[in-house]
Amino acid sequence: MTRTNLVSELARHITLRQLQVFEAVARLGSFTRAAEELYLAQPTVSMQLKKLTDTISLPLFEQVGIRIHLTETGRELYTVCKEVFNNLTNLETKIADIKGVKSGLLKLAVITSSKYLVPHLLGQFGRLHPGIDFSLNVENREHILERISRYEDDLCILGQPPPESEVEAHPLVPNPLVAMASCNHPLVGVPNIPLKQLLDEPFILREPGSGTRDAINRLLTSKGLRIPVARMEFASNEAIKQAVVAGLGISILSLHSLALEGTSGPIAILDVQGLPINRYWYLVHPKNKKLSPVTLAFLEFAKMEGQNIANKTEQKMEKIRKSRAYNNKKQKNK
Ligand code: PGA
């Protein structure tokens, strides 16, 4: 077959959907994860790949043990796919440019603790720009960093931007990490609890890969302390909060995770030496990614609105500091 014949043969049989399925399987190294990402059934993924393999007449993947690997042909096709989809994304951006910020999709990925804040930002932004659709992925820090390296989103929110200079980071709002206990816990109202004493309590920690967990571990290491080995590990802020309310243990989480119940509800903030851990949230995107008008408009809006949220966070922290000072005074007057 001549070169032109081959190209027209491929054009007649290969669909963009097949390439999209192939790209997802190659990138994620898994049929199951690709099916999940594309909201397809696994047999559909297998069938699309079979058609693609039949058209190319060479295997694209090989199985080694339980893992699948790209063959040489697969690697070549993967390179082509990345170019095709990058170009299509650029086309999407250019079309959105032409349309302005009237319509388009804003794709965000945010760390778990910022899920208490981001929907409010989207709600306000959506009222200003009713034609814009949103997609929001909520993941832990490790997964967000992976997504940034794969250019998967328009913008990400995470605790500490990666040190590499390939990303641009815009400060959004302060994120104080505070110690939480059930409001009936005996340590509630006790002033100046030593950090070491906190670790005598059953401690509920986030999963490996969590930025909150890393920040706690860094603080403890700097004080020569460690979380006891017999700890509880939950991969969800909400599950930790419910466990704290149920009296299962104490934890250190973002103050923002108490957005709905406040600090005088079923969960109380403990006055612990060395806390809060003062973290910050950043809006992050790869430096060389061309931002669409929708993304730029959201970035500006979020930075402005971030000022208001920062002021409210500072007011909450001030209230917590005042109640600590009050407990201290009470203790001294005893
Ligand atoms: P996490 O991130 O949701 O991964 O714990 C929180 C943060 O990095 O501030």
Side-chain angles (χ1 to χ4, degrees), residues 111-113 140-141 159 175 206 209-212 279 281:
I111 39 144
T112 63
S113 37
N140 73 19
R141 174 178 174 81
N175 173 32
R206 284 278 309 278
S210 146
T212 309
R279 272 171 84 74
W281 282 330

Side-chain angles (χ1 to χ4, degrees), residues 67-112:
R67 293 178 159 267
I68 50 164
H69 292 274
L70 286 168
T71 58
E72 193 187 341
T73 316
R75 281 197 298 278
E76 292 296 335
L77 183 62
Y78 185 44
T79 308
V80 171
C81 276
K82 282 197 284 191
E83 275 172 30
V84 168
F85 288 110
N86 270 342
N87 286 337
L88 286 176
T89 308
N90 287 342
L91 176 66
E92 194 183 4
T93 308
K94 281 181 188 140
I95 292 172
D97 272 356
I98 295 163
K99 288 182 182 165
V101 280
K102 289 194 195 74
S103 63
L105 172 71
L106 180 66
K107 212 171 158 209
L108 297 178
V110 305
I111 39 144
T112 63

Side-chain angles (χ1 to χ4, degrees), residues 1-263:
M1 209 183 292
T2 66
R3 195 186 149 94
T4 328
N5 281 347
L6 176 67
V7 172
S8 65
E9 185 68 11
L10 293 180
R12 270 201 303 137
H13 294 287
I14 291 182
T15 65
L16 265 180
R17 188 58 157 171
Q18 287 168 6
L19 292 181
Q20 189 189 29
V21 168
F22 167 77
E23 191 277 335
V25 175
R27 174 167 43 82
L28 300 168
S30 152
F31 283 63
T32 316
R33 287 183 64 195
E36 277 167 13
E37 183 178 289
L38 298 171
Y39 302 106
L40 292 174
Q42 207 171 314
T44 314
V45 168
S46 307
M47 194 187 66
Q48 295 282 356
L49 279 183
K50 183 174 178 325
K51 284 187 184 161
L52 185 60
T53 312
D54 288 349
T55 309
I56 291 179
S57 320
L58 282 171
L60 300 171
F61 293 101
E62 59 194 353
Q63 183 112 22
V64 181
I66 52 163
R67 293 178 159 267
I68 50 164
H69 292 274
L70 286 168
T71 58
E72 193 187 341
T73 316
R75 281 197 298 278
E76 292 296 335
L77 183 62
Y78 185 44
T79 308
V80 171
C81 276
K82 282 197 284 191
E83 275 172 30
V84 168
F85 288 110
N86 270 342
N87 286 337
L88 286 176
T89 308
N90 287 342
L91 176 66
E92 194 183 4
T93 308
K94 281 181 188 140
I95 292 172
D97 272 356
I98 295 163
K99 288 182 182 165
V101 280
K102 289 194 195 74
S103 63
L105 172 71
L106 180 66
K107 212 171 158 209
L108 297 178
V110 305
I111 39 144
T112 63
S113 37
S114 69
K115 72 177 172 207
Y116 298 98
L117 170 98
V118 178
H120 298 284
L121 283 178
L122 295 182
Q124 287 164 293
F125 186 69
R127 276 192 287 282
L128 295 173
H129 304 284
I132 292 173
D133 297 326
F134 304 112
S135 116
L136 178 65
N137 262 290
V138 181
E139 313 249 10
N140 73 19
R141 174 178 174 81
E142 191 174 282
H143 293 147
I144 299 287
L145 291 176
E146 284 166 17
R147 294 182 71 96
I148 294 176
S149 69
R150 294 195 298 254
Y151 286 58
E152 280 188 40
D153 307 285
D154 294 316
L155 279 176
C156 292
I157 293 181
L158 82 168
Q160 201 59 48
E164 307 89 79
S165 54
E166 291 99 61
V167 300
E168 206 156 304
H170 309 262
L172 182 60
V173 288
N175 173 32
L177 302 185
V178 293
M180 298 182 186
S182 149
C183 60
N184 304 317
H185 196 283
L187 287 177
V188 175
V190 175
N192 256 322
I193 305 162
L195 196 52
K196 193 169 179 325
Q197 189 181 340
L198 197 71
L199 302 183
D200 294 338
E201 300 294 319
F203 197 94
I204 314 168
L205 198 59
R206 284 278 309 278
E207 77 288 2
S210 146
T212 309
R213 178 188 172 117
D214 285 352
I216 297 169
N217 277 336
R218 268 200 306 278
L219 171 74
L220 294 181
T221 310
S222 74
K223 308 277 180 209
L225 297 169
R226 287 179 65 206
I227 300 265
V229 177
R231 60 179 187 231
M232 287 172 273
E233 201 175 274
F234 291 5
S236 143
N237 294 325
E238 269 315 299
I240 293 182
K241 279 169 51 191
Q242 295 301 328
V244 165
V245 173
L248 207 56
I250 52 129
S251 189
I252 297 177
L253 290 179
S254 166
L255 176 66
H256 294 291
S257 65
L258 297 179
L260 280 186
E261 54 277 73
T263 50

